[in-house]
Amino acid sequence: MDLTEGTLQEKKGRSKKMMLWFGIGSLIMTFAALLSAFIVSSKQRRDKDWLSNYDLPSAFYISVVIILLSSITFILAKKALRQNNQQMSKVWLIATLVLGIGFVLAQLEGFKQIIEAGYNFTGPTSNITISYIYIIAVVHILHVIAGLICIVVVIYNHFKQKYNANNMLGLELAANFWHFVDLLWLVLFLFLYFFRDRI
């Protein structure tokens, strides 16, 4: 398809979607670098201070369920808007926001559980393995918070009736980013869960 074709609004929409995918690509590289550093450190420090038998906090398991549910509610919000059901779309968007906040709270509870297990981010009770887990989770939480801000903006615009079945660009951009951070946490969680058995 010729990217110069279409109305000005269609061209703007395509360019905004392209910019989002560029941003997502850079985030993928960032997290790939963090996971690569995790793997390299595990090899270099295996016989020193690397903790290979760590347990992920139970709150992290709960956070996986919460964030997957939030993706489902966002899909339902988008589906309702396509059917011009404005009210249900708002309900599902608010549910997504609540679940997103719940995810952040579950992550914070996970950090609390790690500290209660005797591991801090820095200091004499820190461990390089757990410090990596802290960094990976915190960097992801920052992107979830960015996603939550996007959802708040979408909800505000939705109440101002800026979206309908023929004008969903803002909601679609927010949904794509939200699904990305959801899938990203699933990948990160599975990596941290299964990698410990390979050390």
Side-chain angles (χ1 to χ4, degrees), residues 54-71:
Y54 61 85
D55 288 318
L56 292 173
S58 59
F60 279 15
Y61 293 80
I62 294 168
S63 71
V64 170
V65 175
I66 292 172
I67 206 158
L68 291 177
L69 285 173
S70 75
S71 255

Side-chain angles (χ1 to χ4, degrees), residues 43 67 73 75 93 95 112 114 124 126 148 156 162 194:
K43 307 297 183 194
I67 206 158
T73 56
I75 289 168
L93 281 171
K112 182 181 171 188
I114 291 172
S126 67
L148 288 173
Y156 173 78
K162 290 190 176 180
F194 288 109

Side-chain angles (χ1 to χ4, degrees), residues 30-194:
T30 299
F31 281 95
L34 282 172
L35 297 184
S36 297
F38 186 94
I39 293 168
V40 170
S41 293
S42 71
K43 307 297 183 194
Q44 291 178 342
R45 307 186 72 89
R46 179 180 297 170
D47 300 323
K48 296 176 184 177
D49 55 356
W50 189 263
L51 185 65
S52 58
N53 60 345
Y54 61 85
D55 288 318
L56 292 173
S58 59
F60 279 15
Y61 293 80
I62 294 168
S63 71
V64 170
V65 175
I66 292 172
I67 206 158
L68 291 177
L69 285 173
S70 75
S71 255
I72 293 169
T73 56
F74 216 143
I75 289 168
L76 292 172
K78 194 173 171 183
K79 183 179 178 183
L81 187 60
R82 277 206 183 105
Q83 296 168 349
N84 268 326
N85 189 339
Q86 299 278 347
Q87 192 56 40
M88 280 311 298
S89 183
K90 289 172 191 173
V91 168
W92 289 122
L93 281 171
I94 291 168
T96 305
L97 179 65
V98 171
L99 288 167
I101 293 168
F103 171 82
V104 173
L105 294 176
Q107 293 290 92
L108 295 177
E109 177 62 27
F111 295 148
K112 182 181 171 188
Q113 290 174 0
I114 291 172
I115 291 168
E116 287 171 353
Y119 298 105
N120 287 292
F121 179 62
T122 60
T125 57
S126 67
N127 176 278
I128 188 168
T129 313
I130 303 301
S131 294
Y132 266 115
I133 293 172
Y134 271 113
I135 291 168
I136 289 167
V138 167
V139 172
H140 180 262
I141 286 173
L142 293 175
H143 291 91
V144 169
I145 291 170
L148 288 173
I149 292 168
C150 292
I151 293 171
V152 168
V153 171
V154 166
I155 291 171
Y156 173 78
N157 286 336
H158 208 338
F159 275 96
K160 301 281 277 186
Q161 298 187 344
K162 290 190 176 180
Y163 303 126
N164 56 53
N166 299 316
N167 180 20
M168 298 176 57
L169 180 62
L171 188 140
E172 285 178 341
L173 292 172
N176 288 341
F177 183 73
W178 189 254
H179 294 320
F180 166 71
V181 294
D182 290 5
L183 180 61
L184 179 60
W185 177 245
L186 181 62
V187 170
L188 294 172
F189 176 83
L190 292 174
F191 173 87
L192 294 172
Y193 181 84
F194 288 109

